[in-house]
Amino acid sequence: MPAMLLAQAKGPAAANKQLFDRTVDELNFRTMETVYDKSFTRRKFPVTLRTAKARREFTDFNGRDDLQKLFQNYNGVSERYKARFGKGRTDLVEFEKQLNATLVDKNFEFFIRVLPRDERVALIRSLQRIIRQGAAQFNASEDPVAEDLAADGAAVPPADVDAPAATAAATEDPSPQPEASLTTTTVTSSNRLSPRSLDVPVRHDWVDYLTLLLAGTSTLLLLFLITSVLPDLRARLDGLADELDNQQPAPRPRSRALPEDRYEDDEAN
């Protein structure tokens, strides 16, 4: 029995789970390496920090406690990504889905916010290549195939089409009254289509009276403008035009006499 359990533990499912954990460690290492190298120009993130335990013990942050706390927090959060795979579905589709979900996680986006936009894009593309490499090593021998899914669907027994009819017949009223229903429907329709009686007085609310008051006020204001304001304005404009005409000076007549000839006087002098 222990040998059988050990063999089952080392099957494709266990190997795929280990592959998922290694891929998550590689994604976390590449992410922290990029952010660390960007934060320090003369320091490099050690290549030996490929496990969460090794990164937890790393403290070389040149006295920057805030950056060290950021790395420690993300190291703990990113380690929980491993719990996303191994329970429930364990096929290749779920493998790639959960790995790609780490690249859109809000903690991941918060951690790489210090990088410029082009470097963030380059980092995400490199991480996507790592995910594709991990998917290429995935053992899909235990994944369900299309034939198995079709067989599972065919194994489901068809629905009993006679059951709803039998249930409806059992719950049907043994003494239906179609004539009464028809009469009720006819009376209701006739009530809806019949016009209002002339003996019933029409009721008006405050909205109707307010509308009538506003309409009357607008009419009176229009009459006041036509009969009082416009004639007065026209009379003022006419008077102003007459004043302007009276103030214009008369044109000076042009003299047609030629200047006298003074050549003789000049010669006498």
Side-chain angles (χ1 to χ4, degrees):
M1 183 65 67
M4 184 179 298
L5 294 177
L6 183 61
Q8 292 178 357
K10 293 184 178 180
N16 292 333
K17 173 59 178 174
Q18 293 179 359
L19 176 62
F20 184 86
D21 294 346
R22 290 198 307 269
T23 307
V24 170
D25 282 331
E26 185 66 19
L27 295 176
N28 296 338
F29 169 76
R30 293 298 180 184
T31 302
M32 294 184 182
E33 179 187 33
T34 304
V35 175
Y36 186 90
D37 294 349
K38 183 64 179 179
S39 302
F40 300 101
T41 56
R42 298 183 179 180
R43 295 174 182 269
K44 294 295 182 181
F45 199 65
V47 295
T48 57
L49 304 180
R50 294 185 178 274
T51 62
K53 181 180 179 181
R55 291 190 293 268
R56 192 180 305 113
E57 298 173 354
F58 180 70
T59 58
D60 186 11
F61 290 92
N62 196 22
R64 294 188 56 181
D65 296 337
D66 56 339
L67 189 62
Q68 181 177 356
K69 183 178 180 181
L70 176 65
F71 270 71
Q72 294 297 333
N73 291 338
Y74 183 71
N75 185 53
V77 171
S78 60
E79 183 67 12
R80 293 199 293 266
Y81 292 158
K82 297 179 180 179
R84 297 183 176 184
F85 184 80
K87 299 178 182 179
R89 291 182 54 184
T90 56
D91 54 357
L92 178 58
V93 176
E94 187 70 13
F95 181 86
E96 295 178 335
K97 175 183 176 182
Q98 296 302 333
L99 288 177
N100 288 317
T102 62
L103 304 183
V104 295
D105 187 80
K106 61 180 181 180
N107 297 300
F108 171 79
E109 295 177 351
F110 179 80
F111 184 73
I112 66 173
R113 74 189 190 283
V114 297
L115 301 176
R117 184 179 182 279
D118 54 345
E119 295 186 12
R120 291 199 303 267
V121 173
L123 173 63
I124 292 176
R125 289 179 178 176
S126 65
L127 297 181
Q128 289 175 343
R129 287 194 297 269
I130 295 175
I131 293 175
R132 288 194 294 268
Q133 293 174 1
Q137 302 175 15
F138 186 86
N139 187 351
S141 60
E142 294 185 351
D143 289 2
V145 295
E147 290 78 3
D148 296 339
L149 295 177
D152 294 339
V156 177
D160 190 2
V161 295
D162 297 334
T167 304
T171 57
E172 187 178 1
D173 190 1
S175 58
Q177 298 178 357
E179 296 180 358
S181 301
L182 180 60
T183 305
T184 304
T185 305
T186 306
V187 172
T188 305
S189 302
S190 61
N191 290 335
R192 291 178 181 177
L193 298 177
S194 61
R196 181 181 57 83
S197 177
L198 298 178
D199 298 335
V200 179
V202 180
R203 296 182 179 180
H204 299 285
D205 55 0
W206 64 272
V207 178
D208 298 332
Y209 292 111
L210 180 60
T211 304
L212 180 61
L213 179 61
L214 293 177
T217 304
S218 301
T219 304
L220 293 177
L221 181 60
L222 180 61
L223 292 176
F224 174 74
L225 291 176
I226 294 175
T227 59
S228 178
V229 177
L230 291 180
D232 184 42
L233 182 60
R234 181 177 298 175
R236 291 184 180 182
L237 292 177
D238 293 340
L240 182 60
D242 295 339
E243 292 180 2
L244 292 177
D245 293 339
N246 295 331
Q247 291 178 1
Q248 290 182 358
R252 298 176 60 183
R254 296 181 59 184
S255 176
R256 296 183 179 180
L258 296 176
E260 297 180 357
D261 191 0
R262 299 290 184 180
Y263 291 106
E264 296 179 358
D265 297 340
D266 294 339
E267 291 177 358
N269 295 332

